[in-house]
């Protein structure tokens, strides 16, 4: 078998990432050697591979679904927004500079098509099947000329395309039809059919519409996936959790102790790797909430200042909203505060930034004896160490170089009283360390909270991935899906007018 498939979507957040992961997990359970691929990813949630390459966390999660190590070829182009109009471009795991959206789509993106096709060819030569994820919608007609992630990659590699639609949003039939009808004939010939995602209710009520859709487009529906809570793992878009009141949820057991722990995560601008708190949300009795008001910190047992692509901008935001003063008061009262990566940097005394914000010298919150200087070279490592008497693993993604001048050692950072800071993303996924840290937080907060003795974040993640595989196995036509991956799009698919504009 040397197959492939592109999972596209009618919109962003239609479910492409989880469907791709589900197909990968279903295939690997059938004994297929499979790999994920996304030509171009725009995300502030990234990961570091063992060879020191930066890729999107969604592709790292999909690699885990495939039970393989992630590599840079699985996400050759990563765009990390630094504002409304510019992004850092990461090519094959290494940053190559900042670029405006106009500059990128004005020619640079098109020139990268050969690079992404080479990466895809490398994976296809190594694996039995490669399941590719698109971005946004394949019918973004203003971007089709320079597209390297949807129909551009499908046509370049001859991949069949499965279009996913989120029926929970409404308008899924119009979205499916309109997506096909806005594609050029050569692109339409690769669109094999549809997959309905997040359906609630009786499927028999949906079937007449699916039959009519088949009559209108000549394309079948490959499955109807039911709505399931808690499957949005390692999302790409941190902007959605910036909305006040968003709670990070996980399917967990009841609390072990008498109390719960309340964790408030400051929803700073350009928040990166907010998935760091997933391991806390997976703990029975830990409630994780994203906040943007100082009064929302008052009942929190732990405040986390997360990573950000704009450390100086996040610092200004905290001050403008009164959150900075609230955090400083907490620290003075010995109430727990944790800074992660960019959050760690702004807890320090001084920041010298001529790289990210070009703001020069900026005073930090002064809670930790740390001075930060931004270097042009990005640190991309997978450190291993010990803290609180426990083994810890993590990964680092940052331009800021921290000079620690005091406090107690804490991973690569330090702690002063009940304020901790580190560059290490993913450290809370180390079970023993997470439990030891939560015990300290509970003691400082005066909570009768007891960490569950047997929570394994890795096992919970595996269970989530198996649930995704189950969704595909139980609710998709897997025989038809197998033929599609192995043999490509069916021949003779009809053209749906009007097609792409000239």
């Amino acid at each position: 078998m040397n197959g492939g498939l592109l999972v596209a979507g009618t919109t962003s957040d239609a479910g492409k990432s989880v469907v791709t992961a589900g197909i990968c997990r279903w295939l690997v359970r059938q004994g297929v050697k499979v790999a994920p691929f996304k030509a171009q990813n725009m995300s502030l949630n990234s990961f570091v591979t063992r060879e020191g390459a930066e890729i999107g966390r969604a592709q790292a999660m999909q690699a885990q679904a495939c039970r393989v190590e992630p590599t840079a070829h699985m996400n050759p182009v990563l765009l990390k927004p630094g504002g409304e109009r510019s992004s850092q471009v990461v090519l094959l795991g290494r940053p190559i500079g900042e670029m405006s959206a106009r500059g990128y789509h004005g020619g640079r993106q098109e020139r990268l098509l050969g690079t992404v096709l080479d990466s895809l060819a490398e994976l296809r030569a190594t694996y039995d099947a490669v399941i590719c994820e698109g971005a946004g919608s394949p019918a973004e007609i203003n971007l089709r000329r320079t597209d390297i992630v949807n129909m551009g990659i499908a046509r370049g590699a001859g991949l069949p395309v499965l279009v996913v639609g989120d029926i929970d949003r409404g308008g899924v039939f119009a979205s499916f039809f309109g997506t096909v009808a806005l594609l050029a004939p050569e692109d339409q010939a690769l669109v094999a059919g549809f997959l309905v995602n997040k359906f609630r209710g009786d499927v028999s009520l949906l079937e007449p519409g699916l039959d009519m859709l088949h009559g209108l487009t000549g394309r079948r529906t490959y499955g109807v996936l039911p709505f399931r809570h808690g499957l949005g793992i390692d999302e790409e878009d941190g902007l959605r959790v910036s909305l006040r009141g968003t709670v990070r949820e996980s399917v967990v057991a009841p609390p072990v102790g008498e109390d719960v722990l309340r964790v408030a995560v400051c929803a700073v601008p350009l928040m990166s790797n907010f998935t760091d708190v997933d391991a806390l949300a997976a703990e029975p009795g830990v409630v994780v909430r994203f906040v943007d008001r100082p009064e929302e910190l008052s009942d929190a047992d732990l405040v986390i200042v997360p990573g950000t692509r704009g450390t100086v901008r996040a610092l200004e935001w905290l001050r403008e909203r009164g959150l900075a003063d609230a955090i400083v008061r907490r620290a003075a009262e010995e109430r727990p505060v944790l800074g992660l990566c960019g959050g760690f940097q702004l807890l320090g005394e001084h920041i010298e930034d001529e790289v990210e914000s070009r703001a020069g010298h900026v005073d930090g919150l002064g809670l930790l004896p740390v001075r930060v200087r931004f270097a042009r070279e990005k640190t991309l490592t997978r450190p291993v160490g010990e803290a609180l008497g426990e083994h810890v693993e993590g990964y680092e993604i940052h331009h800021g170089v921290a000079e620690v001048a005091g406090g107690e050692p804490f991973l690569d950072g330090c702690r002063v009283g009940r304020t901790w800071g580190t560059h290490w993303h993913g450290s809370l996924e180390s079970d023993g360390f997470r439990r030891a840290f939560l015990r300290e937080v509970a003691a400082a907060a005066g909570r009768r909270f007891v960490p569950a003795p047997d929570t394994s974040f890795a096992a919970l993640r595996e269970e989530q991935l198996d649930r995704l595989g189950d969704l595909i196995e139980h609710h998709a036509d897997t025989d038809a899906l197998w033929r599609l991956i192995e043999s490509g799009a069916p021949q003779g698919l009809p053209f749906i007018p009007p097609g792409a504009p000239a």
Side-chain angles (χ1 to χ4, degrees):
M1 182 180 187
N2 185 16
L5 174 70
L6 175 70
V7 179
T10 56
T11 61
S12 295
D13 200 33
K16 296 183 292 292
S17 293
V18 294
V19 167
T20 299
I23 293 173
C24 287
R25 179 49 61 101
W26 163 67
L27 282 172
V28 81
R29 294 195 307 207
Q30 311 308 308
V32 177
K33 187 180 178 185
V34 60
F37 177 79
K38 184 162 185 173
Q40 173 192 291
N41 197 344
M42 177 173 278
S43 178
L44 288 171
N45 283 337
S46 58
F47 183 74
V48 179
T49 67
R50 294 209 179 275
E51 66 268 26
E54 185 180 8
I55 66 171
R57 271 199 68 101
Q59 279 60 66
M61 176 268 292
Q62 291 161 357
Q64 186 177 348
C66 297
R67 298 181 178 141
V68 299
E69 275 292 323
T71 72
H73 287 304
M74 295 175 183
N75 178 207
V77 180
L78 173 64
L79 305 179
K80 302 192 73 175
E84 295 295 328
R85 297 186 179 181
S86 67
S87 294
Q88 183 180 68
V89 181
V90 180
L91 180 63
L92 291 173
R94 296 289 172 181
I96 60 172
E98 298 281 335
M99 188 166 291
S100 69
R102 180 177 292 275
Y104 184 69
H105 290 287
R108 183 60 182 264
Q109 183 183 34
E110 194 173 12
R111 293 195 295 272
L112 293 175
L113 180 59
T115 301
V116 300
L117 286 172
D118 288 346
S119 286
L120 178 56
E122 178 80 15
L123 293 175
R124 297 188 81 176
T126 307
Y127 294 90
D128 300 328
V130 179
I131 307 303
C132 309
E133 179 189 343
S137 162
E140 291 169 347
I141 54 179
N142 56 317
L143 302 177
R144 176 61 186 92
R145 182 181 62 82
T146 59
D147 171 43
I148 64 170
V149 65
N150 289 306
M151 301 313 300
I153 196 77
R155 201 192 296 188
L159 295 171
V161 179
L162 183 68
V163 180
V164 178
D166 179 359
I167 197 170
D168 198 46
R169 295 182 173 191
V172 74
F173 292 117
S175 298
F176 281 145
F177 183 88
T179 296
V180 179
L182 282 176
L183 300 179
E186 297 85 353
D187 290 342
Q188 287 197 22
L190 295 172
V191 178
F194 314 107
L195 186 74
V196 177
N197 192 29
K198 301 182 186 178
F199 180 73
R200 306 171 191 252
D202 185 347
V203 176
S204 66
L205 299 177
L206 188 65
E207 288 171 350
L210 300 179
D211 291 340
M212 286 184 272
L213 182 66
H214 184 272
L216 288 166
T217 66
R219 290 158 174 85
R220 57 168 298 164
T221 298
Y222 284 76
V224 178
L225 307 185
F227 186 95
R228 292 286 187 267
H229 286 285
L231 293 182
I233 55 178
D234 287 3
E235 297 102 327
E236 295 175 357
D237 186 4
L239 298 179
R240 283 179 287 110
V241 298
S242 298
L243 299 174
R244 191 177 67 82
T246 300
V247 178
R248 200 71 174 161
E249 296 178 344
S250 187
V251 179
V252 294
V256 174
E258 296 179 45
D259 284 346
V260 299
L261 277 187
R262 294 172 176 82
V263 178
V265 183
C266 297
V268 296
L270 299 175
M271 181 164 43
S272 62
N273 286 69
F274 63 85
T275 49
D276 281 336
V277 302
D278 284 355
L280 294 179
E283 280 286 347
V286 177
V287 179
V288 178
R289 186 177 182 86
F290 291 87
V291 303
D292 64 0
R293 297 180 181 178
E295 58 267 27
E296 293 174 304
L297 306 188
S298 60
D299 67 344
D301 303 308
L302 170 66
V303 169
I304 294 179
V305 187
T308 171
R309 175 83 164 86
T311 300
V312 171
R313 179 177 169 186
L315 184 56
E316 293 170 347
W317 181 87
L318 290 171
R319 285 176 168 144
E320 289 167 359
R321 289 179 169 260
L323 284 159
D325 289 340
I327 292 169
V328 171
R329 285 195 300 271
R330 284 185 64 91
E333 295 165 359
E334 293 283 294
R335 300 177 67 195
V337 176
L338 172 64
L340 296 172
C341 199
F344 162 46
Q345 295 169 5
L346 60 82
L347 294 182
E349 296 171 348
H350 302 292
I351 298 170
E352 194 68 36
D353 182 11
E354 300 292 350
V355 175
E356 192 175 76
S357 67
R358 297 180 175 85
H361 177 87
V362 178
D363 288 333
L365 297 186
L367 303 182
L368 295 174
V370 175
R371 294 170 178 254
V372 176
R373 176 185 54 82
F374 274 70
R376 296 198 177 278
E377 190 72 21
K378 182 183 282 191
T379 297
L380 296 168
T381 63
R382 291 273 292 270
V384 176
E386 185 176 299
L388 305 182
E390 299 287 346
H391 176 78
V392 190
E393 297 183 17
Y395 57 100
E396 295 185 50
I397 306 169
H398 54 91
H399 283 280
V401 178
E403 178 188 336
V404 180
E408 299 176 47
F410 180 70
L411 301 175
D412 72 323
C414 65
R415 66 175 291 183
V416 173
R418 301 295 184 182
T419 300
W420 297 265
T422 176
H423 277 128
W424 289 24
H425 293 294
S427 57
L428 293 166
E429 295 179 18
S430 298
D431 298 327
F433 167 71
R434 182 180 64 254
R435 287 192 279 268
F437 179 72
L438 289 176
R439 282 193 290 268
E440 285 219 16
V441 170
R447 297 288 186 188
R448 290 173 293 182
F449 168 85
V450 178
D454 56 354
T455 300
S456 167
F457 183 74
L460 289 171
R461 175 54 56 90
E462 278 295 303
E463 290 174 11
Q464 281 186 303
L465 293 171
D466 276 331
R467 286 201 295 272
L468 295 181
D470 291 343
L471 278 178
I472 298 299
E473 186 171 340
H474 299 153
H475 301 283
D477 186 337
T478 52
D479 289 340
L481 197 57
W482 185 282
R483 290 192 299 272
L484 187 61
I485 294 169
E486 191 172 36
S487 305
Q491 297 296 308
L493 292 169
F495 172 72
I496 309 300

